[in-house]
Amino acid sequence: MKLSLSILDNQQQVKLGRNDYEEEDKPMQASGEDFVDLATQDFAYEDGDSIKVEVDEPDVYLVAKLDETLDSSLVYVKGKIWEYKIAMTENAYEARPDKRFASKRHYLSVRVATPEEIKSYRNWALNPHDQKEENGAYPHAHANVETRNDATFFACNAIDGVYANLSHGSYPYVSWGINRQEDAALTIDFGRKVTLDKVAFTLRSDFPHDNFWEKVTVAFSDGTSEEFHTVKTNVRQVFDFSKRTVDSVKFYQLIKSADESPFPALTQIEFFGRNV
């Protein structure tokens, strides 16, 4: 499969970078068969830039690492384009490690996933490359509320693989914050059918600042649902359920405890199973 990788400005023009022993800038783009990488020793991102991944066929599984501080991610690209938007705002910096997209030396890579990776039993909700807005790669988390539209409380934080939950606010303590909204709901779109049989919740546990949920519900896209009774703990809580084949799930009907704090929040949510 042909893959291409490019870094674009906000006008969709390919940007230029340079290596130490080169006298001229070169376009920040590359292509390859089943694998592509892009390296530079002198390039600075600007707000509004984007990283564009293109494939010549839709419905493909990729393993991507678009920055040194991002874990390699197994993602599903439904179409032929995945465009990762770069934000350089103060709030965006608060929600990520200091060096993400901030240095001048960069290495990006994308490859086609192996059959073994695609068939594996794993957490199919995990996507460290997810963003607030849908960008073409799945899974994607979105919600009907995110506290103050603040990046440290975006829904995508709940599937980024970072479990730090003993505080709140800036990285690494980002979470999904619900702004005290009683009907708060978070949805994970897998982009295709997956068969699931296990869920894990890591609740934010900055007690006594935080409250916690005593009961939560997961609604599946097949029309069924499950209730789970959660407890006050900083430990990951794991529940099995009967297998469902779905393309999305919704985490909602969140019943908080009688504790005084009005601030329950979610650090991580995981769904385990296999691709269909």
Side-chain angles (χ1 to χ4, degrees):
M1 175 173 292
K2 185 177 180 180
L3 304 174
S4 67
L5 187 57
S6 55
I7 301 176
L8 310 176
D9 64 18
N10 59 9
Q11 301 298 315
Q12 294 290 292
Q13 300 299 307
V14 176
K15 300 199 72 171
L16 302 176
R18 184 180 296 195
N19 291 326
D20 290 348
Y21 302 112
E22 296 173 344
E23 295 182 358
E24 296 182 357
D25 293 342
K26 64 179 182 180
M28 289 290 91
Q29 59 183 2
S31 61
E33 192 70 26
D34 293 340
F35 174 84
V36 61
D37 63 346
L38 188 58
T40 180
Q41 294 172 317
D42 189 0
F43 170 79
Y45 285 104
E46 297 177 290
D47 189 51
D49 288 350
S50 61
I51 300 169
K52 188 175 184 180
V53 179
E54 293 185 80
V55 296
D56 60 358
E57 297 177 15
D59 305 312
V60 61
Y61 293 88
L62 302 175
V63 176
K65 187 176 180 67
L66 301 186
D67 185 81
E68 296 79 5
T69 67
L70 281 164
D71 288 340
S72 294
S73 305
L74 176 54
V75 299
Y76 174 75
V77 176
K78 197 172 187 177
K80 294 184 179 182
I81 294 176
W82 168 24
E83 191 162 2
Y84 188 100
K85 301 288 188 179
I86 307 295
M88 306 298 281
T89 63
E90 181 179 350
N91 184 231
Y93 274 117
E94 289 180 352
R96 65 194 189 206
D98 291 342
K99 296 299 183 181
R100 184 168 296 170
F101 306 119
S103 68
K104 289 190 174 183
R105 304 179 189 273
H106 304 281
Y107 179 75
L108 302 73
S109 68
V110 179
R111 65 172 173 85
V112 174
T114 66
E116 292 77 14
E117 289 169 327
I118 296 168
K119 295 176 182 178
S120 65
Y121 181 88
R122 55 167 283 155
N123 169 24
W124 287 106
L126 177 65
N127 184 4
H129 285 76
D130 192 32
Q131 299 184 281
K132 176 178 174 63
E133 304 298 336
E134 187 174 357
N135 60 23
Y138 298 89
H140 170 58
H142 57 94
N144 64 347
V145 59
E146 294 166 324
T147 302
R148 299 187 300 274
N149 197 33
D150 185 329
T152 64
F153 300 115
F154 284 171
C156 56
N157 297 331
I159 62 170
D160 66 0
V162 178
Y163 294 84
N165 67 343
L166 297 182
S167 187
H168 71 282
S170 62
Y171 182 89
Y173 299 106
V174 297
S175 60
W176 174 50
I178 67 170
N179 203 34
R180 310 189 194 188
Q181 188 163 311
E182 295 294 332
D183 65 345
L186 180 148
T187 299
I188 299 173
D189 184 356
F190 298 101
R192 81 286 183 191
K193 296 289 187 181
V194 290
T195 298
L196 307 174
D197 62 9
K198 184 185 296 185
V199 63
F201 308 110
T202 301
L203 306 183
R204 201 180 69 195
S205 304
D206 186 11
F207 308 124
H209 171 277
D210 285 346
N211 203 325
F212 70 99
W213 295 300
E214 293 182 320
K215 185 173 71 172
V216 301
T217 299
V218 173
F220 301 90
S221 61
D222 66 354
T224 63
S225 63
E226 293 272 2
E227 290 184 352
F228 302 99
H229 293 272
T230 47
V231 298
K232 185 177 185 177
T233 179
N234 67 317
V235 177
R236 180 171 168 266
Q237 302 179 60
V238 183
F239 301 89
D240 295 318
F241 54 83
S242 58
K243 287 184 178 179
R244 267 90 160 179
T245 298
V246 301
D247 56 24
S248 66
V249 293
K250 182 168 73 169
F251 176 68
Y252 77 132
Q253 293 182 354
L254 312 174
I255 309 302
K256 69 176 183 288
S257 80
D259 285 6
E260 291 185 5
S261 169
F263 303 119
L266 179 68
T267 296
Q268 287 293 291
I269 186 168
E270 305 164 82
F271 285 94
F272 292 85
R274 297 183 187 275
N275 278 306
V276 175

